[in-house]
Amino acid sequence: MELNFPKKPFRTHGGAAVPHRKHTAQQESVVMPIPAEVVIPMQQHAGAPCVPTVKRGDSVTVGQKIGESTAFVSAPIHASVSGTVTSVEKVLMPTGASVDAVVIQSDGSMTPDPDLKPPVLNSKEDFLKAVRESGLVGLGGAGFPTHVKLNIPEGKTVDTLIINVAECEPYLTADNREAIENAQSVLDGVAAVKEQLGIHRVFLAVEDNKPKAIQMLRQAAEKTSFAAEVCVLPLRARYPQGAEKVLIQSCTGRVVPMGKLPADVGCVVMNVTSVAFLADYLKTGMPLVKKRLTVDGPAIAHPQNVIVPIGTRVKDILAFVGCKEEPDKVLMGGPMMGTAIPNLDVPILKQNNGLTCFTGKETHVPKATACIRCGRCVSGCPMHLMPTKLETFVQTKDIDGLNAYHVMDCMECGTCAYNCPAGRPLVQAIRLGKGLVRAAGGAKK
Amino acid sequence: MTHQLLVSSSPHLHTPVTTRRIMGDVLIALCPAMIASVIYFGWRALMLLVISVATCVLCEYVSRRVMKREQTIQDLSAVVTGVLLAMNVPSSLNPLELMFGDLIAIVVVKQMFGGIGQNFVNPALMARIILLNSFPGDMASWPVPFAADASTSATPLGILSEGGTYTPDYLQLFLGNRGGSLGETCALALLLGFIYLLARKVIAPTIPLIYVGTVAVLSFFMGRDVLVDLLCGGLLLGAIFMATDYTTSPITTKGKVIYAIGCGCITMLIRNFGSLPEGVSYAIVVMNILTPLIERATRPHAFGVPRKKEKEAAKQ
């Protein structure tokens, strides 16, 4: 079968030349010692929160399920260390929501759950069930439950699998390290997904500022039995290359219709760490209990990638990595889309992939001056929106205007606000605009 | 209580390009033309530039103070307006008349409409038009370059407009050795500024190229001397530095194309059929006023929204 791979990526619109600052790209990841205590929130995914299945005083083992939900769009949560549950309490999430969390005192032994075994896959249903049981969610940051994504609805055909190794956020190199250190697992995961979903065209999409990852993935791909069906595609290193819709357009030239999903244009996009984890899970049966994070930023003495149990508090990680200065601002994720956390007690979630620590002058938020209508927000918007217009509509609370200019289709990548010479908080305004539209009864079709 | 951290909305990184830096770049781009004006028209040119800038900044300062608004002179936009207005007047102009123009530009056109980013026409151009109508004699007497005395001449387009004959020396026109307002004469200096603005990504080439291109095509079909039309009458100054003003030109690329074609057409209609020798100022101001309409008509097509044709195809 002749496969249709482009020689070079398709053109996409807009974006910004953000600085890369990938200081940790060449460093081997370090496994952090087991923290004394972990805090595991019951909501680490898009969808319904889980209900704790353990109570205070219970002893737990690594990989034991401690949170479950009956809702379809959800993913179970597992203990990341062995030890004793000291409490089940409400914690404040970086988003501002308050959710239940299981606090586990580690016994330091990391005893695995004796019941864990590799899943038996006899059908596609078995596979999807196993994916759900693994607790896997989109590890690139969105946290969308993977079993939902892979459950392609009846009537839609998917012909392309895209593995997202773009990692366009400044500082972050966790996905890059995953590709370099676990290239084999990545390809094993690709093999499993393509077999289960019957896909015969796979892109491994990497920004061209990661030559080592491209090389490792190419080598691993050549050794597989389906080498002809895999294309390692270097993409232009320009933010936001890793955004799902942008990535699909770069690889296939297809445009995801507004309000639709990648499956509507025959694509499934998975993060590289997600797909590599899936391969390991199918081999060992150990669910998602640890995560690789890039810890970087001007406040960090020795920037590096660390592998930590999920639920480790940020302060424990910073104590391990070492700070040059007390950070004034800590971001979960990279500086473009990361969330600023209110304090260092916040635990690491499944979908976190970095901690960016700013201090002093980097924390400076530009003072907003008048819009000079330079148009940089419009020419930069990957969704072809007009952020400056949206901001005006927010100021006048013009719901019709917000709908007509498609405020709900903004993905909040931050390109507009990054580019704005007047330092206007455009993303913040757009978030408010979305709130206004929701309060008024949602987007009109 | 644990250590409290700063929180703010993403993104947490910002471009080093600020309004002030953009205005600074425009001033740097205007430097070759300013130097050329001083070479050709002597100390009077320098004096007018200094007076104009000083008056604009003072007007901006005072009007912000009076209106109890935040001070904006540090963004350098008033300096740019001052330079541009001085560039648009003959070196023989009475400084008081120029100061009147600066007052109109900053106070009436810019600040009364809300300051930077809010004016609906280019302040320097509107002020130039008002000067042209208030002091028609002074604004249309053009000192000869390098002249020791106060001898004046008509501009090439002025001669042609009166039905006279003009034998152009293209090299001298390109270098700017002719009668004209301070900044419009030296095409070489203006083009250097254009290249700088492009290299610094301050402006996109869309508006200047299409504007000048439209003028060239129309000039050819009207049977005029194309090179004279391109090099004379402030076309380059207008196309590069005035028509590209962010505030008064469309944000969208399609809009910029329509706007620039409009500028070119109006310029040539005035030059060929109007009683004025040149029409750059009026052309740009008219298109400035049309900008909000053009922008509304050329809204970018949002990602993934079916186009009209596709919608119709889907219905069938």
Side-chain angles (χ1 to χ4, degrees), chain A residues 53-61 64 66 83-86 102-105:
Chain A
T53 56
V54 290
K55 58 185 188 306
R56 192 175 161 197
D58 286 359
S59 60
V60 292
T61 47
Q64 181 184 335
I66 56 169
T84 317
V85 176
T86 51
V102 174
V103 183
I104 304 169
Q105 181 95 47

Side-chain angles (χ1 to χ4, degrees), chain B residues 229-302:
Chain B
D229 264 334
L230 294 188
L231 295 172
C232 295
L235 176 69
L236 292 177
L237 179 64
I240 297 168
F241 290 99
M242 320 281 269
T244 54
D245 172 28
Y246 290 150
T247 305
T248 53
S249 63
I251 281 183
T252 58
T253 305
K254 247 188 273 170
K256 286 186 167 94
V257 173
I258 295 171
Y259 168 91
I261 292 175
C263 287
C265 291
I266 298 174
T267 303
M268 286 317 291
L269 288 177
I270 294 176
R271 283 189 183 178
N272 208 40
F273 303 111
S275 56
L276 289 167
E278 64 109 346
V280 171
S281 308
Y282 287 100
I284 297 176
V285 164
V286 169
M287 293 315 288
N288 283 168
I289 295 168
L290 288 176
T291 289
L293 295 178
I294 296 172
E295 209 167 88
R296 196 181 302 175
T298 58
R299 218 170 85 192
H301 188 91

